[in-house]
Each structure stands twice: as C-alpha cells, then as structure tokens.
Amino acid sequence: MESEATPPRELPERPSTIHTHEDLEARGPWSFMRAALAGGASRWAWHLMASWAAFQLLTSALWASHLAGFAKFPGTPGGSALPNNWGEHLTARDIWELIENGGMKHAPFGVLAPLLALLCLAWVFWSGWRMQADLLGFRARLSHWVWGFMDTLVIGLVPIGIVYGLARWALSAAGKTGLEGLGWANLIGAPLLMLAFLSALSVQWWLCRINRGGGAPGLLRHWGHSFLRLWMNPVQWTSLVLGGAALRMGLSFLALWIGWHLGGGSTARVEAFLGLELLAAMANAWLLGWFLRLAARFWSQDEKVRNARQELETDLRLRRQQGPAQEMSGSHEA
C-alpha cells in the first residue's frame, strides 16, 4: 500500500516592506530639527554652556589684561588711556599696531592661557559626547571618543577638505574681480567657510564616535556607514553647517559690535560688555548642543532603518534557500 504523500511545509508569510512602517522611514537631518529641541536644559547641556562660556570669557579676560598694559597712561582715571568711545576711534591701523607691537604673536601669557583653553575645550568636547551618549542610551567611553576622531581623519578630512578648498578658491577668485560686493563677500565668507569646515568635520566625528558607541559591525562597514550618513544628505547637512556657523558667528559679532559702541570708559560698560559676551557664548553653546542632539537622533533613525533592511534581506535570503530545499524534500517523501 502506497503511503500518502506528505504535503510540503508552508513557507512563512512574506515579510512586508519596511516602507509601510512610518518609524522605519529613512529621513534626513532636517526631520529632527524640532525633536532636537528637547534636552536643551539637561544636565550635560548646562555643562556644555558653562564650559564654552568659561573658554570664551577666560580667553577674552586674558587678552584684555594683556592689552591693558599697553593702554596705561599716567594721570588718567584708572591709569587707562582708553576714552569712553574708544571703539569708535579705534582704526584698522591701531588694531594692526596692537597685533604687531603688542606681543600677541609671541604667546604673551606663557603656559597658563593655552593650558586653561585646552582644559575648557576638553570640557566642551566631553560634555557634548556625554549628552549624545545619554540621549542614545549607551555608555560614553573615552576610547570611542578618541577612535571616532581618528576615523574622522581617515574618512572625513580629505573629502571635506577638498570641498572647503574649492569653495574657498571660488570665493577668493570672486573677491579679486574688483567688485565691491564680491570683495565684502570674500571678507565675510572666508571665516564663515572656515567655521563651516570645522563644523562639518565635527559632524563626521560625532557620527563616527556614536557608531562606535552603538556597536559598529566591523571597521570597513563602520567607515562606510559613517561616511554615507554624512554624504548621502549633502544639501541638508551643508545648510545646517553653514546656517549654524553663520548664526554663531553673528551672535558673537553682535556682542562685539554693541561693546564696541559702548566703549570702556567705566566699569559698568565693561561689565555690560562681559555680560553680552557671556550671553552670546551660552547661546552659541546651546545651539551647539541642539546640533549634537540632532546628529544623535539622525544616527538613531538611520541605524534603525539599516538594521531593519538587514533583517529583511536576511529573511528573504533564508526564504530563497528554504524554498528549493522544501520542494526537494516533498518530492522525495512523495
């Protein structure tokens, strides 16, 4: 008596595409601008603002104390030769004289000023890293912080440097045409491009160190993912980098412009200028924190999408392998 053929096992239901899930939709960094506002008053956000303000004010105070020695004049109130409206009378020639003959080129503060500046910058960088790690729910390790920077030198320095060099060359060539508007654009755009270049390198560093903190699957894949996360959204990242650099530079310039017109003839005016510098520094630090949180949220979404795609591809590969095997098994049993 012939045995009845055993029906083949049913294949698992075909997985649905990840595009049907809103939380697995690939999104650019613009999508996280509003979400990144959350966390602006967190513990490490305050650390970031305090560290950046310390860096700015300590640097300014040391330079001011150095220049005060070149502005002393016997017989004037307080021993200063600066009038109340010193900012309105300080010419470009005066600034050049202070730089050339004021000892600014020869590290006038010895070891103290560079050491304090480095300590404050280390505080700034570590606060930003802790903010991102806490937001993503993993431990902020120094090794990820350091190796992420090394990754940036490998995959980010050359391509970002090429883009910066081309933009700087185009701006410089435009400034040499003799047109006044283009000359001003070159004068203002040169420092803006430098800030944008440093900001773009920072974004690449953030993506590299976060990827290491999140468990990078192999060095080459880690480099590839980190590189693509920046360069697959060039328009959005460029606008954020340039816009952020322009806003931060504008806030600092506004504080300097107001202080320039206030003058330094009284203690109240100097204190008011320091207050403006403090507000500008804290505002810039808050914007930096917002950018750090935006990059972290973008990485989290992109990592979720990549993992979902990997799982889908693995599932489909198993289905292809199981299909022929099950058909052969059914024919043998029959």
Side-chain angles (χ1 to χ4, degrees), residues 98-215:
L98 286 172
I99 295 175
E100 288 295 321
N101 303 321
M104 291 187 178
K105 291 185 175 181
H106 306 289
F109 314 125
V111 180
L112 179 61
L115 180 60
L116 288 176
L118 288 175
L119 288 176
C120 289
L121 284 178
W123 186 14
V124 169
F125 294 146
W126 187 249
S127 298
W129 176 218
R130 287 298 305 269
M131 179 192 297
Q132 290 182 318
D134 286 359
L135 180 63
L136 295 172
F138 56 74
R139 184 178 178 183
R141 296 182 179 274
L142 181 61
S143 59
H144 300 154
W145 192 64
V146 174
W147 283 109
F149 180 76
M150 297 301 175
D151 294 333
T152 303
L153 297 180
V154 174
I155 67 173
L157 184 60
V158 172
I160 296 175
I162 290 174
V163 174
Y164 165 73
L166 291 174
R168 186 68 187 90
W169 172 82
L171 196 62
S172 178
K176 293 178 181 178
T177 58
L179 298 177
E180 184 177 356
L182 294 179
W184 278 104
N186 181 38
L187 181 64
I188 298 173
L192 178 61
L193 281 179
M194 175 55 69
L195 288 176
F197 166 69
L198 296 176
S199 183
L201 281 178
S202 297
V203 173
Q204 185 67 87
W205 180 25
W206 302 343
L207 296 174
C208 287
R209 71 191 187 188
I210 290 173
N211 204 42
R212 283 186 175 272

Side-chain angles (χ1 to χ4, degrees), residues 2 24 73 110 135 199:
E2 296 182 358
L24 295 179
F73 188 78
L135 180 63
S199 183

Side-chain angles (χ1 to χ4, degrees), residues 242-277:
L242 282 174
L247 186 56
R248 292 192 299 271
M249 190 171 71
L251 287 172
S252 298
F253 176 79
L254 179 62
L256 181 61
W257 182 83
I258 295 175
W260 189 274
H261 288 278
L262 281 176
S266 65
T267 303
R269 294 187 181 191
V270 174
E271 290 176 349
F273 176 57
L274 288 176
L276 290 172
E277 284 283 319

Side-chain angles (χ1 to χ4, degrees), residues 40-110:
S42 64
R43 171 192 175 189
W44 289 106
W46 283 106
H47 270 270
L48 186 64
M49 288 187 283
S51 58
W52 188 248
F55 171 75
Q56 293 280 72
L57 292 184
L58 281 175
T59 305
S60 300
L62 287 171
W63 280 114
S65 64
H66 173 67
L67 292 177
F70 296 90
K72 289 182 179 179
F73 188 78
T76 59
S80 175
L82 294 178
N84 293 344
N85 56 344
W86 66 274
E88 299 175 6
H89 292 278
L90 193 62
T91 64
R93 177 70 181 180
D94 297 328
I95 296 175
W96 184 85
E97 288 287 348
L98 286 172
I99 295 175
E100 288 295 321
N101 303 321
M104 291 187 178
K105 291 185 175 181
H106 306 289
F109 314 125

